[in-house]
Amino acid sequence: MRFYRHALAALAIASWAVLPGSSSAQRLTFPPTAALQSSGISPLLLGAELKSAAIRARWLDPVALPVGPGCDGRDEFAIRIELSGEPVAAMAMADTSGKIEEIIIAADSLDRARTADSAACLDLAKGFASKFSAALGPYPSISSAQKPATVEYRLNFASGPSVRARWFRGGGHCDFALYIVRDGD
């Protein structure tokens, strides 16, 4: 019973905070909503210092792992959140100076879809991209590339980000994600 009272007291204290420089209490919302923009998801923004941005982003996903080396050797941080009504996994990668240079946002509910053909994969990517058009604007161009094992598409938003989709001929798998990268990447 004692633990229960302490837990309730901690919860009550955590749900109210006094802002610095203010004498009034303001209710904190948990988790705060993520704001998508052409430079990332606040606070994971291109050019931001990854470690401090990751600390601020922990409010979005309290169980996220700390910044660590990713599969390509760059430091990265990943969170699972809801963005524009879509459950997503967002990963921010840093350059050698620790600044965020790339953010990849993938549908959390659909890592790799099985589709009959590349047109069906493109339709899934268009549906995913349309969820972000309110924040990023329209995607006026779609490009494609035929590669030996894949058909790849890019849905380019006018504001810079792009949804990239790949359909794998051998297994009929489709994957897609929103990429936000520094200019020139």
Side-chain angles (χ1 to χ4, degrees), residues 16-88:
W16 291 89
V18 176
L19 298 175
S22 170
S23 61
S24 63
Q26 180 178 2
R27 184 166 176 77
L28 295 176
T29 58
F30 183 81
T33 57
L36 176 64
Q37 51 197 323
S38 62
S39 60
I41 303 168
S42 184
L44 300 174
L45 302 173
L46 294 177
E49 200 273 321
L50 178 62
K51 289 183 180 178
S52 61
I55 290 168
R56 290 190 310 275
R58 299 275 310 187
W59 284 98
L60 298 169
D61 183 1
V63 298
L65 296 175
V67 171
C71 59
D72 65 359
R74 294 183 290 176
D75 278 348
E76 67 180 45
F77 176 72
I79 56 176
R80 284 181 156 45
I81 57 172
E82 187 170 296
L83 192 61
S84 301
E86 177 79 19
V88 299

Side-chain angles (χ1 to χ4, degrees), residues 4-16 27 30:
Y4 180 73
R5 281 185 292 202
H6 288 292
L8 283 177
L11 183 61
I13 291 168
S15 67
W16 291 89
R27 184 166 176 77
F30 183 81

